[in-house]
Amino acid sequence: MKELHACGVIIKNGKILLTQRPLTDYSEPGKWNPINETVEEGESPDIAVVRGAKEEVGLKFTITKVFKPITFVDPDTYIFIGIGKGKIVPQESEVAQFGWFSFTEAQKLEYAYNYDKLIEDLHMSDLL
């Protein structure tokens, strides 16, 4: 089975929630991304992103829109825009730190998995 990812984009007051991967992570250590979850076998991407938001940052993620950026590349990633409810409590094994970033601030970060392209797409669509 080809690996699939599900990404949860939470934008509030013109800023996007981004997380930094732990420096000890086996994949893309220290780089930034929105909530990002590998879809498990038998799981749908929408369920995976809801699970991922809870596991990574403790938020209840409600999907409001499916977003398909033109420039996003491998691995196949489903992008969901949504609302995060609750208090952010990052899981240390998944998140080194988190923050809310404007487009200008987000452009300065180093991204995992080509998520810089997603940031550009969100900006071009006037979502960020």
Side-chain angles (χ1 to χ4, degrees), residues 4-119:
L4 298 176
H5 285 188
C7 170
V9 175
I10 300 172
I11 299 171
K12 186 165 112 177
N13 300 322
K15 294 188 174 194
I16 185 171
L17 176 64
L18 297 172
T19 62
Q20 184 185 39
R21 303 178 68 76
L23 296 176
T24 57
D25 202 85
Y26 68 93
S27 176
E28 305 276 2
K31 294 183 180 178
W32 291 83
N33 52 249
I35 294 163
N36 178 51
E37 191 62 42
T38 301
V39 178
E40 295 178 354
E41 190 171 334
E43 184 177 47
S44 63
D46 59 326
I47 297 299
V49 75
V50 170
R51 174 180 56 78
K54 189 68 168 169
E55 289 175 0
E56 290 180 20
V57 293
L59 293 178
K60 181 177 190 272
F61 184 71
T62 302
I63 297 168
T64 58
K65 180 178 181 175
V66 177
F67 186 73
K68 299 178 184 177
I70 297 166
T71 58
F72 204 68
V73 296
D74 213 26
D76 288 347
T77 303
Y78 292 83
I79 311 294
F80 299 97
I81 309 289
I83 299 165
K85 291 188 180 178
K87 180 181 177 194
I88 297 175
V89 181
Q91 182 178 349
E92 290 180 23
S93 64
E94 302 239 8
V95 176
Q97 60 180 320
F98 70 92
W100 293 94
F101 297 89
S102 68
F103 173 69
T104 304
E105 295 164 334
Q107 283 185 300
K108 298 174 185 173
L109 301 174
E110 185 177 3
Y111 287 93
Y113 312 118
N114 296 311
Y115 277 116
D116 55 320
K117 294 181 184 345
L118 173 61
I119 299 301

